[in-house]
Amino acid sequence: MNLERPIAPDPYELLPKVPSFTVTSPGFEPGGELPARHAFAYENASPALSWSGAPEGTRSFVVTCFDPDAPTPAGFWHWAVAGIPAGVTELAENAGTEDGAGLPEGAFQLTNDYGFDWFGGAAPPPGDRPHRYMFAVHALDTEDPGVEAGFSPAKMSFYSLGRTLARAVVTATYAIPAG
């Protein structure tokens, strides 16, 4: 497989501009390396995320994890959580388990590109350059953006685009050495 290809643009730079706020993870520095425990082949644990500074009028949040560097024309969605109440400002590490027990009441996970409804960790092709894993928190002006379980993260992103008041993104990278 020829993995030499151009670096994909930041997909959030291609969307209509909205204000930003802050999202961080105690597990990695912005732009730093994603710990192996968040890789699919290891613990497959979603990282802890916390956010602050969402705008007034926020009624709910959506959290996503997207890899724009996956060798596909459309990147790869690793995680999407909708229905996070406006009063919630963090997700604990490993909140994205199959049973969703670590998610706040009312929140639910959507079907990722692995085909399941929970966090799917980093899994770039061995020997490829480091991939960017973009954890985004979207502040919405509605409690119900019209999404439901079974929606893809791309469809959820489309449905919530006009409802997004602000967006915060923190990115980490991960690579698997060649064979």
Side-chain angles (χ1 to χ4, degrees):
M1 176 191 303
N2 179 1
L3 296 174
E4 293 187 27
R5 57 195 188 287
I7 294 176
D10 177 337
Y12 298 105
E13 291 295 322
L14 303 174
L15 296 177
K17 301 293 181 214
V18 294
S20 184
F21 57 103
T22 302
V23 60
T24 60
S25 176
F28 59 87
E29 293 294 320
E33 186 174 340
L34 189 68
R37 69 181 172 274
H38 305 303
F40 189 78
Y42 293 95
E43 294 175 40
N44 199 44
S46 58
L49 299 170
S50 62
W51 54 91
S52 63
E56 193 170 318
T58 298
R59 305 281 307 276
S60 68
F61 295 100
V62 168
V63 170
T64 60
C65 176
F66 182 69
D67 171 5
D69 302 314
T72 73
F76 196 93
W77 290 98
H78 287 263
W79 195 30
V81 182
I84 300 171
V88 173
T89 58
E90 64 184 5
L91 294 177
E93 182 171 273
N94 210 23
T97 59
E98 184 174 357
D99 64 8
L103 296 175
E105 187 174 335
F108 59 95
Q109 299 176 100
L110 303 174
T111 305
N112 62 26
D113 284 343
Y114 285 114
F116 45 77
D117 299 338
W118 60 92
F119 178 77
D128 202 2
R129 68 174 175 269
H131 284 213
R132 294 169 290 166
Y133 294 88
M134 305 180 86
F135 294 89
V137 180
H138 313 261
L140 305 181
D141 69 358
T142 181
E143 292 177 13
D144 180 12
V147 302
E148 56 191 56
F151 272 38
S152 71
K155 186 174 182 179
M156 181 272 312
S157 293
F158 180 77
Y159 273 49
S160 61
L161 186 65
R163 310 307 309 250
T164 300
L165 296 172
R167 180 180 308 108
V169 180
V170 64
T171 301
T173 63
Y174 189 78
I176 298 174

Coordinates of all heavy atoms in Angstrom, one line a residue, residues 44-136:
N44 N -8.2 0.6 24.1 CA -9.3 1.1 23.4 C -10.2 2.0 24.3 O -11.4 2.0 24.3 CB -10.1 0.0 22.8 CG -11.0 0.5 21.7 OD1 -10.6 1.3 20.8 ND2 -12.3 0.1 21.6
A45 N -9.5 2.8 25.2 CA -10.2 3.6 26.2 C -10.3 5.0 25.6 O -9.3 5.6 25.1 CB -9.4 3.7 27.5
S46 N -11.5 5.6 25.6 CA -11.7 7.0 25.2 C -10.9 7.9 26.2 O -10.9 7.6 27.4 CB -13.2 7.4 25.1 OG -13.8 7.2 26.4
P47 N -10.3 8.9 25.8 CA -9.6 9.8 26.7 C -10.6 10.7 27.5 O -11.7 11.0 27.1 CB -8.7 10.7 25.8 CG -9.4 10.7 24.5 CD -10.1 9.4 24.4
A48 N -10.1 11.1 28.7 CA -10.8 12.1 29.5 C -10.8 13.4 28.7 O -9.8 13.8 28.2 CB -10.2 12.2 30.9
L49 N -11.9 14.1 28.7 CA -12.0 15.4 28.1 C -12.7 16.3 29.1 O -13.7 15.9 29.7 CB -12.8 15.4 26.8 CG -12.2 14.5 25.7 CD1 -13.2 14.3 24.5 CD2 -10.9 15.0 25.2
S50 N -12.3 17.6 29.1 CA -13.0 18.6 29.9 C -13.0 19.9 29.1 O -12.1 20.2 28.3 CB -12.4 18.8 31.3 OG -11.1 19.3 31.2
W51 N -14.1 20.7 29.2 CA -14.2 21.9 28.4 C -14.8 23.0 29.3 O -15.4 22.8 30.3 CB -15.1 21.6 27.2 CG -16.4 21.0 27.4 CD1 -17.6 21.7 27.6 CD2 -16.7 19.6 27.4 NE1 -18.6 20.8 27.8 CE2 -18.1 19.5 27.7 CE3 -16.0 18.5 27.3 CZ2 -18.8 18.3 27.7 CZ3 -16.6 17.2 27.4 CH2 -18.0 17.2 27.6
S52 N -14.5 24.2 28.9 CA -14.9 25.4 29.6 C -15.1 26.5 28.6 O -14.5 26.5 27.5 CB -13.9 25.8 30.7 OG -12.7 26.1 30.1
G53 N -15.9 27.5 29.0 CA -16.1 28.7 28.1 C -17.1 28.6 27.0 O -17.1 29.4 26.1
A54 N -18.0 27.6 27.1 CA -19.0 27.5 26.1 C -19.9 28.7 26.2 O -20.1 29.3 27.3 CB -19.8 26.2 26.3
P55 N -20.5 29.1 25.1 CA -21.2 30.4 25.1 C -22.6 30.3 25.8 O -23.1 29.2 25.9 CB -21.4 30.7 23.6 CG -21.4 29.4 22.9 CD -20.4 28.6 23.7
E56 N -23.1 31.4 26.2 CA -24.4 31.5 26.8 C -25.4 31.0 25.7 O -25.2 31.3 24.6 CB -24.7 32.9 27.2 CG -25.9 33.1 28.1 CD -26.1 34.5 28.6 OE1 -25.0 35.0 29.1 OE2 -27.2 35.0 28.6
G57 N -26.4 30.3 26.2 CA -27.4 29.8 25.2 C -27.1 28.4 24.8 O -27.9 27.8 24.1
T58 N -26.0 27.8 25.3 CA -25.7 26.4 25.0 C -26.7 25.5 25.7 O -27.0 25.7 26.9 CB -24.3 26.0 25.5 OG1 -23.3 26.8 24.8 CG2 -24.0 24.5 25.2
R59 N -27.4 24.6 24.9 CA -28.4 23.8 25.5 C -28.0 22.3 25.5 O -28.6 21.5 26.2 CB -29.7 23.9 24.6 CG -30.2 25.3 24.4 CD -31.0 25.8 25.6 NE -32.1 24.9 26.0 CZ -33.3 24.9 25.5 NH1 -33.6 25.7 24.5 NH2 -34.2 24.1 26.0
S60 N -26.9 22.0 24.8 CA -26.4 20.6 24.8 C -25.0 20.6 24.1 O -24.6 21.6 23.4 CB -27.3 19.6 24.2 OG -27.4 19.8 22.8
F61 N -24.3 19.5 24.2 CA -23.0 19.3 23.6 C -23.0 18.0 22.8 O -23.8 17.0 23.1 CB -21.9 19.2 24.6 CG -21.7 20.4 25.4 CD1 -22.2 20.6 26.7 CD2 -21.0 21.5 24.8 CE1 -22.0 21.7 27.4 CE2 -20.7 22.7 25.6 CZ -21.2 22.8 26.8
V62 N -22.2 18.0 21.8 CA -21.9 16.8 21.0 C -20.4 16.7 21.0 O -19.7 17.7 20.9 CB -22.4 16.9 19.5 CG1 -21.8 15.8 18.6 CG2 -23.9 16.9 19.5
V63 N -19.9 15.5 21.3 CA -18.4 15.2 21.3 C -18.1 14.2 20.2 O -18.8 13.2 20.0 CB -17.9 14.7 22.6 CG1 -16.5 14.2 22.6 CG2 -18.1 15.7 23.7
T64 N -17.0 14.5 19.4 CA -16.6 13.6 18.3 C -15.1 13.4 18.3 O -14.4 14.2 18.9 CB -17.0 14.2 16.9 OG1 -16.4 15.4 16.7 CG2 -18.5 14.3 16.8
C65 N -14.7 12.3 17.7 CA -13.3 12.1 17.4 C -13.2 11.7 16.0 O -13.8 10.7 15.5 CB -12.7 11.0 18.3 SG -11.0 10.6 17.9
F66 N -12.3 12.4 15.2 CA -12.2 12.2 13.8 C -10.7 12.2 13.4 O -9.9 12.9 13.9 CB -12.9 13.4 13.1 CG -12.9 13.3 11.6 CD1 -13.6 12.3 10.9 CD2 -12.1 14.1 10.8 CE1 -13.6 12.2 9.5 CE2 -12.1 14.0 9.4 CZ -12.8 13.1 8.8
D67 N -10.4 11.2 12.5 CA -9.1 11.1 11.9 C -9.1 11.6 10.5 O -9.6 10.8 9.6 CB -8.6 9.7 12.0 CG -7.3 9.4 11.3 OD1 -6.7 10.4 10.8 OD2 -6.9 8.3 11.3
P68 N -8.7 12.8 10.2 CA -8.7 13.2 8.8 C -7.6 12.6 7.9 O -7.6 12.8 6.7 CB -8.5 14.8 8.9 CG -7.7 14.9 10.1 CD -8.2 13.8 11.1
D69 N -6.7 11.9 8.6 CA -5.5 11.4 7.8 C -5.7 9.9 7.4 O -4.8 9.3 6.9 CB -4.3 11.5 8.7 CG -4.0 12.9 9.1 OD1 -4.1 13.8 8.2 OD2 -3.8 13.2 10.2
A70 N -6.8 9.3 7.8 CA -7.1 7.9 7.4 C -7.0 7.8 5.9 O -7.4 8.7 5.1 CB -8.5 7.5 7.9
P71 N -6.5 6.7 5.4 CA -6.4 6.5 3.9 C -7.7 6.2 3.2 O -7.9 5.1 2.6 CB -5.4 5.4 3.8 CG -5.6 4.6 5.0 CD -5.9 5.6 6.1
T72 N -8.7 7.1 3.4 CA -10.0 7.0 2.7 C -10.3 8.4 2.2 O -9.7 9.4 2.7 CB -11.1 6.6 3.7 OG1 -11.4 7.7 4.6 CG2 -10.7 5.4 4.5
P73 N -11.2 8.6 1.3 CA -11.6 9.9 0.8 C -12.3 10.7 1.9 O -12.5 11.9 1.7 CB -12.5 9.6 -0.4 CG -12.3 8.2 -0.8 CD -11.8 7.5 0.5
A74 N -12.8 10.1 2.9 CA -13.7 10.7 3.9 C -13.2 10.7 5.3 O -13.9 10.9 6.3 CB -15.1 10.1 3.8
G75 N -11.9 10.4 5.5 CA -11.3 10.3 6.9 C -12.0 9.1 7.6 O -12.5 8.2 7.0
F76 N -11.9 9.1 8.9 CA -12.5 8.0 9.7 C -13.0 8.6 11.0 O -12.3 9.2 11.8 CB -11.4 7.0 10.0 CG -11.8 5.7 10.5 CD1 -12.1 4.7 9.6 CD2 -12.1 5.4 11.8 CE1 -12.5 3.4 10.0 CE2 -12.5 4.2 12.3 CZ -12.7 3.2 11.3
W77 N -14.3 8.3 11.3 CA -14.9 8.7 12.6 C -14.7 7.6 13.6 O -15.1 6.5 13.4 CB -16.4 8.9 12.4 CG -16.8 10.1 11.5 CD1 -17.1 10.1 10.2 CD2 -16.8 11.5 12.0 NE1 -17.3 11.4 9.8 CE2 -17.2 12.2 10.9 CE3 -16.6 12.1 13.2 CZ2 -17.3 13.6 10.9 CZ3 -16.8 13.4 13.3 CH2 -17.1 14.2 12.2
H78 N -14.1 8.0 14.7 CA -13.8 7.0 15.8 C -14.8 7.1 16.9 O -15.0 6.1 17.6 CB -12.4 7.3 16.4 CG -11.3 6.9 15.5 ND1 -10.7 5.7 15.6 CD2 -10.8 7.5 14.4 CE1 -9.8 5.6 14.7 NE2 -9.8 6.7 13.9
W79 N -15.5 8.2 17.0 CA -16.4 8.3 18.2 C -17.4 9.5 18.0 O -17.0 10.5 17.4 CB -15.6 8.6 19.4 CG -16.3 8.4 20.8 CD1 -17.4 7.5 21.1 CD2 -16.0 9.0 22.0 NE1 -17.7 7.6 22.4 CE2 -16.8 8.6 23.0 CE3 -15.0 10.0 22.3 CZ2 -16.7 9.0 24.3 CZ3 -15.0 10.4 23.6 CH2 -15.8 9.9 24.6
A80 N -18.6 9.4 18.4 CA -19.5 10.5 18.4 C -20.5 10.3 19.6 O -21.1 9.2 19.7 CB -20.3 10.6 17.1
V81 N -20.7 11.3 20.4 CA -21.6 11.2 21.5 C -22.5 12.5 21.4 O -22.1 13.6 21.3 CB -20.9 11.3 22.9 CG1 -21.9 11.2 24.0 CG2 -19.8 10.2 23.0
A82 N -23.8 12.2 21.4 CA -24.8 13.3 21.3 C -25.7 13.3 22.6 O -25.6 12.4 23.4 CB -25.7 13.1 20.1
G83 N -26.4 14.4 22.7 CA -27.3 14.5 23.9 C -26.6 14.8 25.2 O -27.2 14.5 26.2
I84 N -25.4 15.3 25.2 CA -24.8 15.7 26.4 C -25.4 16.9 27.0 O -25.4 18.0 26.3 CB -23.3 15.9 26.2 CG1 -22.6 14.6 25.6 CG2 -22.6 16.3 27.5 CD1 -21.2 14.7 25.2
P85 N -26.0 16.9 28.2 CA -26.6 18.1 28.7 C -25.7 19.3 28.9 O -24.5 19.1 29.1 CB -27.1 17.6 30.1 CG -27.2 16.1 30.0 CD -26.1 15.7 29.1
A86 N -26.3 20.5 28.8 CA -25.5 21.7 28.8 C -24.7 21.9 30.1 O -23.7 22.5 30.1 CB -26.4 22.9 28.6
G87 N -25.1 21.3 31.2 CA -24.5 21.4 32.5 C -23.2 20.5 32.6 O -22.5 20.7 33.6
V88 N -23.0 19.7 31.7 CA -21.9 18.7 31.7 C -20.7 19.4 31.1 O -20.8 20.0 30.0 CB -22.2 17.4 31.0 CG1 -21.0 16.5 30.9 CG2 -23.3 16.7 31.7
T89 N -19.5 19.3 31.7 CA -18.3 20.0 31.2 C -17.1 19.0 31.1 O -16.0 19.4 31.0 CB -17.9 21.2 32.1 OG1 -17.7 20.7 33.4 CG2 -19.0 22.3 32.0
E90 N -17.4 17.7 31.2 CA -16.3 16.7 31.1 C -16.9 15.3 30.9 O -18.0 15.0 31.2 CB -15.4 16.7 32.4 CG -16.1 16.2 33.6 CD -15.3 16.3 34.8 OE1 -14.1 16.8 34.8 OE2 -15.7 15.9 35.9
L91 N -16.0 14.5 30.3 CA -16.2 13.1 30.1 C -15.0 12.4 30.7 O -13.9 12.8 30.4 CB -16.4 12.7 28.7 CG -17.6 13.2 27.9 CD1 -17.6 12.8 26.5 CD2 -18.9 12.7 28.6
A92 N -15.3 11.4 31.6 CA -14.2 10.7 32.2 C -13.5 9.8 31.2 O -14.1 9.4 30.2 CB -14.7 9.9 33.4
E93 N -12.2 9.4 31.5 CA -11.6 8.5 30.7 C -12.4 7.2 30.7 O -13.0 6.8 31.6 CB -10.2 8.1 31.2 CG -9.4 7.2 30.3 CD -8.0 7.0 30.7 OE1 -7.1 7.8 30.2 OE2 -7.7 6.1 31.5
N94 N -12.5 6.6 29.5 CA -13.2 5.4 29.2 C -14.7 5.5 29.3 O -15.4 4.6 29.5 CB -12.7 4.2 30.1 CG -12.8 2.9 29.4 OD1 -12.9 2.8 28.1 ND2 -12.9 1.8 30.1
A95 N -15.2 6.8 29.1 CA -16.6 7.0 29.1 C -17.3 6.3 27.9 O -18.5 6.1 27.9 CB -17.0 8.5 29.2
G96 N -16.5 6.1 26.9 CA -17.0 5.6 25.6 C -17.1 4.1 25.5 O -16.8 3.5 24.5
T97 N -17.4 3.4 26.6 CA -17.5 1.9 26.6 C -18.7 1.5 25.8 O -19.6 2.3 25.6 CB -17.5 1.4 28.0 OG1 -18.6 1.9 28.7 CG2 -16.2 1.7 28.8
E98 N -18.7 0.2 25.6 CA -19.9 -0.4 24.8 C -21.2 -0.1 25.5 O -22.2 0.2 24.9 CB -19.6 -1.9 24.6 CG -20.7 -2.5 23.8 CD -20.4 -4.0 23.5 OE1 -19.3 -4.5 23.8 OE2 -21.2 -4.6 22.8
D99 N -21.2 -0.2 26.8 CA -22.5 -0.1 27.6 C -22.8 1.4 27.8 O -23.9 1.7 28.3 CB -22.5 -0.8 28.9 CG -21.5 -0.4 29.9 OD1 -20.8 0.7 29.7 OD2 -21.3 -1.1 30.9
G100 N -21.9 2.3 27.6 CA -22.1 3.7 27.7 C -22.3 4.2 29.2 O -22.8 5.3 29.5
A101 N -22.0 3.3 30.1 CA -22.2 3.6 31.6 C -21.5 4.8 32.1 O -22.0 5.4 33.0 CB -21.8 2.4 32.4
G102 N -20.4 5.2 31.4 CA -19.7 6.4 31.9 C -20.2 7.7 31.3 O -19.7 8.8 31.6
L103 N -21.2 7.6 30.5 CA -21.8 8.9 29.9 C -22.8 9.5 30.8 O -23.5 8.8 31.5 CB -22.4 8.5 28.5 CG -21.5 8.0 27.4 CD1 -22.2 7.6 26.2 CD2 -20.4 9.0 27.1
P104 N -23.0 10.8 30.6 CA -24.1 11.5 31.4 C -25.4 11.0 31.0 O -25.6 10.6 29.9 CB -23.9 12.9 31.2 CG -22.9 13.1 30.0 CD -22.3 11.7 29.8
E105 N -26.4 11.1 31.9 CA -27.8 10.7 31.6 C -28.3 11.5 30.4 O -28.1 12.7 30.3 CB -28.7 11.0 32.8 CG -30.1 10.5 32.6 CD -30.9 10.6 33.9 OE1 -30.4 10.7 35.0 OE2 -32.1 10.7 33.7
G106 N -28.9 10.8 29.5 CA -29.4 11.4 28.2 C -28.5 11.3 27.1 O -28.9 11.5 25.9
A107 N -27.2 11.1 27.3 CA -26.2 11.1 26.2 C -26.2 9.7 25.6 O -26.5 8.7 26.3 CB -24.8 11.4 26.7
F108 N -25.9 9.6 24.3 CA -25.8 8.3 23.6 C -24.8 8.4 22.5 O -24.4 9.5 22.0 CB -27.2 7.9 23.0 CG -27.8 8.9 22.1 CD1 -27.6 8.8 20.7 CD2 -28.5 10.0 22.5 CE1 -28.1 9.7 19.8 CE2 -29.0 10.9 21.6 CZ -28.8 10.8 20.3
Q109 N -24.2 7.2 22.2 CA -23.2 7.1 21.2 C -23.7 6.7 19.8 O -24.7 6.0 19.8 CB -22.1 6.1 21.7 CG -21.5 6.5 23.0 CD -20.5 5.5 23.6 OE1 -19.3 5.7 23.4 NE2 -21.1 4.5 24.2
L110 N -23.1 7.3 18.8 CA -23.6 7.0 17.4 C -22.6 5.9 16.8 O -21.6 5.7 17.3 CB -23.5 8.3 16.6 CG -24.4 9.4 17.2 CD1 -24.2 10.7 16.5 CD2 -25.9 9.0 17.3
T111 N -23.0 5.4 15.7 CA -22.3 4.4 15.0 C -21.0 5.0 14.3 O -21.1 5.8 13.4 CB -23.2 3.7 13.9 OG1 -24.3 3.2 14.6 CG2 -22.4 2.6 13.3
N112 N -19.9 4.5 14.8 CA -18.6 5.0 14.2 C -18.3 4.3 12.9 O -19.0 3.4 12.5 CB -17.5 5.0 15.2 CG -17.2 3.6 15.7 OD1 -17.4 2.6 15.0 ND2 -16.6 3.5 16.9
D113 N -17.1 4.6 12.3 CA -16.7 3.9 11.1 C -16.2 2.5 11.3 O -16.0 1.8 10.3 CB -15.7 4.8 10.3 CG -16.3 6.0 9.7 OD1 -17.6 6.0 9.5 OD2 -15.6 6.9 9.3
Y114 N -16.0 2.1 12.5 CA -15.8 0.7 12.8 C -17.1 -0.1 12.7 O -17.0 -1.3 12.6 CB -15.2 0.5 14.2 CG -13.8 0.8 14.4 CD1 -13.4 1.9 15.2 CD2 -12.7 0.1 13.8 CE1 -12.1 2.2 15.4 CE2 -11.4 0.5 14.0 CZ -11.1 1.5 14.8 OH -9.8 1.9 15.0
G115 N -18.2 0.6 12.8 CA -19.5 -0.1 12.7 C -20.1 -0.4 14.0 O -21.1 -1.1 14.1
F116 N -19.5 0.2 15.1 CA -20.2 0.0 16.4 C -20.4 1.3 17.1 O -19.9 2.3 16.7 CB -19.4 -1.0 17.3 CG -17.9 -0.8 17.4 CD1 -17.3 0.2 18.1 CD2 -17.1 -1.7 16.7 CE1 -15.9 0.3 18.2 CE2 -15.7 -1.6 16.7 CZ -15.1 -0.6 17.5
D117 N -21.2 1.2 18.2 CA -21.7 2.4 18.9 C -21.0 2.7 20.1 O -21.6 3.0 21.2 CB -23.2 2.2 19.2 CG -24.1 2.0 18.0 OD1 -23.6 2.4 16.9 OD2 -25.2 1.5 18.1
W118 N -19.7 2.7 20.1 CA -18.8 3.1 21.2 C -17.5 3.6 20.7 O -17.2 3.5 19.5 CB -18.7 2.0 22.3 CG -18.1 0.7 21.8 CD1 -16.8 0.4 21.8 CD2 -18.8 -0.4 21.2 NE1 -16.6 -0.9 21.3 CE2 -17.8 -1.4 20.9 CE3 -20.1 -0.7 20.9 CZ2 -18.1 -2.6 20.4 CZ3 -20.4 -1.9 20.3 CH2 -19.4 -2.9 20.1
F119 N -16.6 4.0 21.6 CA -15.3 4.6 21.1 C -14.5 3.5 20.5 O -14.4 2.4 21.0 CB -14.6 5.1 22.4 CG -13.2 5.6 22.0 CD1 -13.1 6.9 21.4 CD2 -12.1 4.9 22.3 CE1 -11.8 7.3 21.1 CE2 -10.8 5.4 22.0 CZ -10.7 6.6 21.4
G120 N -13.9 3.8 19.3 CA -13.0 3.0 18.6 C -11.7 3.7 18.5 O -11.6 4.8 17.9
G121 N -10.7 3.2 19.2 CA -9.4 3.9 19.3 C -8.6 4.0 18.0 O -8.9 3.5 17.0
A122 N -7.5 4.7 18.2 CA -6.6 5.0 17.0 C -6.1 3.7 16.5 O -5.7 2.8 17.2 CB -5.4 5.8 17.5
A123 N -6.0 3.6 15.1 CA -5.5 2.4 14.5 C -5.0 2.8 13.1 O -5.5 2.3 12.1 CB -6.6 1.4 14.4
P124 N -4.0 3.7 13.0 CA -3.5 4.0 11.6 C -2.8 2.8 11.0 O -2.3 2.0 11.8 CB -2.6 5.2 11.9 CG -2.1 4.9 13.3 CD -3.3 4.3 14.0
P125 N -2.6 2.8 9.7 CA -1.9 1.7 9.1 C -0.4 1.7 9.6 O 0.2 2.8 9.7 CB -2.0 2.0 7.6 CG -3.2 2.9 7.4 CD -3.2 3.7 8.7
P126 N 0.2 0.5 9.9 CA 1.6 0.5 10.3 C 2.5 1.1 9.2 O 2.3 0.9 8.0 CB 1.9 -1.0 10.4 CG 0.5 -1.6 10.7 CD -0.5 -0.8 9.9
G127 N 3.4 2.0 9.7 CA 4.3 2.6 8.8 C 3.8 3.9 8.2 O 4.6 4.6 7.6
D128 N 2.5 4.3 8.4 CA 2.0 5.5 7.9 C 2.5 6.7 8.8 O 2.9 6.4 10.0 CB 0.5 5.5 7.9 CG -0.1 6.5 6.9 OD1 0.6 7.2 6.2 OD2 -1.4 6.6 6.9
R129 N 2.5 7.9 8.3 CA 2.8 9.0 9.1 C 1.9 9.1 10.3 O 0.8 8.5 10.3 CB 2.8 10.3 8.3 CG 1.4 10.7 7.9 CD 1.3 12.0 7.2 NE 0.0 12.3 6.7 CZ -0.4 12.0 5.5 NH1 0.3 11.4 4.7 NH2 -1.7 12.3 5.2
P130 N 2.2 9.9 11.3 CA 1.3 10.1 12.5 C 0.0 10.6 12.0 O -0.1 11.6 11.2 CB 2.0 11.0 13.4 CG 3.5 10.9 13.1 CD 3.5 10.6 11.6
H131 N -1.1 10.0 12.5 CA -2.4 10.5 12.2 C -2.9 11.5 13.2 O -2.5 11.3 14.4 CB -3.4 9.4 12.1 CG -3.3 8.6 10.8 ND1 -4.4 8.0 10.3 CD2 -2.3 8.2 10.1 CE1 -4.0 7.3 9.2 NE2 -2.7 7.5 9.0
R132 N -3.7 12.4 12.9 CA -4.3 13.4 13.8 C -5.6 12.9 14.3 O -6.5 12.5 13.5 CB -4.5 14.8 13.1 CG -3.2 15.5 12.8 CD -3.5 16.6 11.9 NE -3.9 16.1 10.5 CZ -4.5 16.9 9.6 NH1 -4.7 18.2 9.8 NH2 -4.9 16.3 8.5
Y133 N -5.8 12.9 15.6 CA -7.1 12.5 16.2 C -7.7 13.7 16.8 O -7.1 14.3 17.8 CB -6.9 11.3 17.2 CG -6.4 10.1 16.4 CD1 -5.1 9.9 16.2 CD2 -7.4 9.2 15.9 CE1 -4.7 8.8 15.4 CE2 -7.0 8.2 15.1 CZ -5.6 8.0 14.9 OH -5.2 6.9 14.1
M134 N -8.7 14.2 16.2 CA -9.3 15.5 16.5 C -10.5 15.3 17.4 O -11.6 14.8 16.9 CB -9.7 16.3 15.3 CG -8.4 16.4 14.3 SD -8.8 17.3 12.8 CE -8.6 19.0 13.4
F135 N -10.4 15.6 18.7 CA -11.5 15.5 19.6 C -12.2 16.9 19.7 O -11.6 17.9 20.0 CB -11.0 15.1 21.0 CG -10.4 13.8 21.0 CD1 -9.1 13.6 20.7 CD2 -11.2 12.7 21.3 CE1 -8.5 12.3 20.7 CE2 -10.7 11.4 21.3 CZ -9.3 11.2 21.0
A136 N -13.4 16.9 19.2 CA -14.2 18.2 19.1 C -15.4 18.1 20.0 O -16.1 17.1 20.2 CB -14.6 18.4 17.7

